[in-house]
Amino acid sequence: MVTDKGGRHRNPLAALGEFIQKKGLKHSRQRDAIARAFFAMGGHVPVDALVARVREQDPRVSVATVYRTMKLLAECGLAVPRRFGEGQTRYEPSTRRHSDAHDHLICTSCGEIVEFESDRISELQLRVARRHGFEIDRRRVELYGRCSDCRRGTSKGESIA
Amino acid sequence: MVTDKGGRHRNPLAALGEFIQKKGLKHSRQRDAIARAFFAMGGHVPVDALVARVREQDPRVSVATVYRTMKLLAECGLAVPRRFGEGQTRYEPSTRRHSDAHDHLICTSCGEIVEFESDRISELQLRVARRHGFEIDRRRVELYGRCSDCRRGTSKGESIA
DNA sequence: TGTCATCTTGATAACGATTATCACTATCAA
DNA sequence: TTGATAGTGATAATCGTTATCAAGATGACA
């Protein structure tokens, strides 16, 4: 096992290898290249950007393969798919120090994405849900607005929804 | 003006009429039918369901027209587009008593959607955002889980993310 | 009431992201 | 080395939504 106590992966590439083995799948140059590129990029990577990055090394990897590989990474818990306002799916590595139950602040003008986590907020949400008879197993919290840099650049503050 | 002090519309159809007039647009049988159907349905209406409903009255309205009309309703603040987990856009009437800054509880097994609102949660979110230099103007909070009915039906509780 | 500029409509092509298909290739245990 | 099986690339297909465009409806004004 290449995962530590918290279930997080010290070495994602090795973890992927294990998963492939365990499932009776096969290793491949492409999967390795895609996974490497993905973890090298970090952040919240749109698939097309990942395709571009991978193709710098090997121009003939197919988009289909990249999609397939990202599904694989998601399946084994090394990546988490996210959908923000746009149409595309972004993948986020889940090898981080913090848990993956974090939320996102998204700057609508420069696209910056900041992660945050608040136990108090989560706690309140669970409580509200419980009050309505719900048992929550997945949350999606996205706050859209403008980061300090962007506000500085233009007319100061707008409305707060 | 057909809006009350809160900016909410007593009579959405009339409000739409005003908007059309003000913008120099034109009234049409289709727009009227679509708006009527939409407000009659209530809730969180997927476009295809709305198309079906409208076609019960007038089978020849085009999907394009329904999409166009919903954009119009969104533009004049009578409807709010929402995107939950699925691929499609749902529209929600904003003629309700409560403000439109509410959040959603979504049952992943029966699809039920419950709205809730928590000033404390919103307040905490704004505070966290401010701490990161963000000024929020749009939020998206969706809690996915299982409603009480659905949990009753099958094996009791699952994980809490 | 008729005219005419302008807006709307319906049918359908186009779109963008993602998935399915399929012939061909690579992997790996024996 | 072989053979069974999984993976790949190219591309067609899908799905929700938008763009296009010829034809039809609307409404201010004469």
Side-chain angles (χ1 to χ4, degrees), chain B residues 23-76:
Chain B
K23 286 266 188 174
L25 305 178
K26 291 175 179 172
H27 295 272
S28 83
R29 177 173 42 83
Q30 292 88 330
R31 283 180 176 164
D32 193 63
I34 293 165
R36 256 175 224 289
F38 172 62
F39 290 111
M41 293 178 83
H44 303 79
V45 189
V47 177
D48 58 348
L50 181 55
V51 170
R53 175 77 168 247
V54 171
R55 282 184 172 163
E56 286 172 15
Q57 304 303 128
D58 181 348
R60 37 181 142 182
V61 280
S62 159
V63 271
T65 300
V66 175
Y67 275 105
R68 287 187 280 238
T69 303
M70 291 319 294
K71 277 207 152 175
L72 197 63
L73 287 179
E75 207 181 318
C76 64

Side-chain angles (χ1 to χ4, degrees), chain A residues 2-4 11 15 29 33 35 41 47 53 60 67 73-74 84 90-91 100-101 116 119 127 150 153:
Chain A
V2 201
T3 56
D4 63 22
N11 182 346
R29 176 173 43 82
M41 293 177 82
V47 177
R53 176 77 168 248
R60 39 180 138 184
Y67 274 105
L73 287 179
F84 300 128
R90 285 164 182 265
Y91 280 93
D100 287 314
F116 70 91
D119 291 341
R127 203 176 299 166
C150 288

Side-chain angles (χ1 to χ4, degrees), chain A residues 4-15:
Chain A
D4 63 22
K5 317 88 220 163
R8 281 167 268 123
H9 305 277
R10 267 194 250 103
N11 182 346
L13 260 10

Side-chain angles (χ1 to χ4, degrees), chain B residues 106-148:
Chain B
I106 298 152
C107 178
T108 50
S109 103
C110 71
E112 194 198 358
I113 299 174
V114 174
E115 300 175 357
F116 71 91
E117 202 175 347
S118 164
D119 292 341
R120 289 186 61 201
I121 292 178
S122 314
E123 175 52 38
L124 285 172
Q125 286 173 338
L126 290 184
R127 203 176 299 167
V128 173
R130 211 176 299 130
R131 197 180 308 142
H132 286 276
F134 273 70
E135 191 158 77
I136 300 308
D137 51 55
R138 191 159 54 86
R139 303 180 316 129
R140 173 178 188 155
V141 176
E142 294 154 21
L143 307 181
Y144 297 88
R146 310 184 63 211
C147 69
S148 46

Side-chain angles (χ1 to χ4, degrees), chain A residues 96-134:
Chain A
R96 345 206 112 195
R97 323 129 217 74
H98 59 72
S99 106
D100 287 314
H102 59 264
D103 300 326
H104 297 87
L105 279 165
I106 298 152
C107 177
T108 50
S109 101
C110 70
E112 193 197 0
I113 299 173
V114 173
E115 300 176 357
F116 70 91
E117 204 175 346
S118 164
D119 291 341
R120 289 186 62 199
I121 293 177
S122 315
E123 175 51 38
L124 285 173
Q125 287 174 337
L126 291 183
R127 203 176 299 166
V128 174
R130 212 176 300 131
R131 196 178 309 141
H132 287 275
F134 273 70

Side-chain angles (χ1 to χ4, degrees), chain A residues 16-87:
Chain A
L16 174 60
E18 267 183 25
F19 183 82
I20 286 176
Q21 200 103 32
K22 198 185 308 167
K23 286 266 187 172
L25 307 178
K26 292 173 182 175
H27 294 274
S28 82
R29 176 173 43 82
Q30 292 87 332
R31 283 181 176 167
D32 192 64
I34 294 166
R36 257 177 224 289
F38 172 62
F39 290 111
M41 293 177 82
H44 304 78
V45 189
V47 177
D48 58 349
L50 182 55
V51 170
R53 176 77 168 248
V54 171
R55 282 184 171 164
E56 288 173 12
Q57 305 303 129
D58 181 348
R60 39 180 138 184
V61 279
S62 158
V63 271
T65 300
V66 174
Y67 274 105
R68 287 188 279 237
T69 302
M70 291 320 293
K71 275 207 154 176
L72 197 64
L73 287 179
E75 207 180 316
C76 65
L78 291 166
V80 180
R82 302 264 182 204
R83 257 161 206 238
F84 300 128
E86 336 117 321

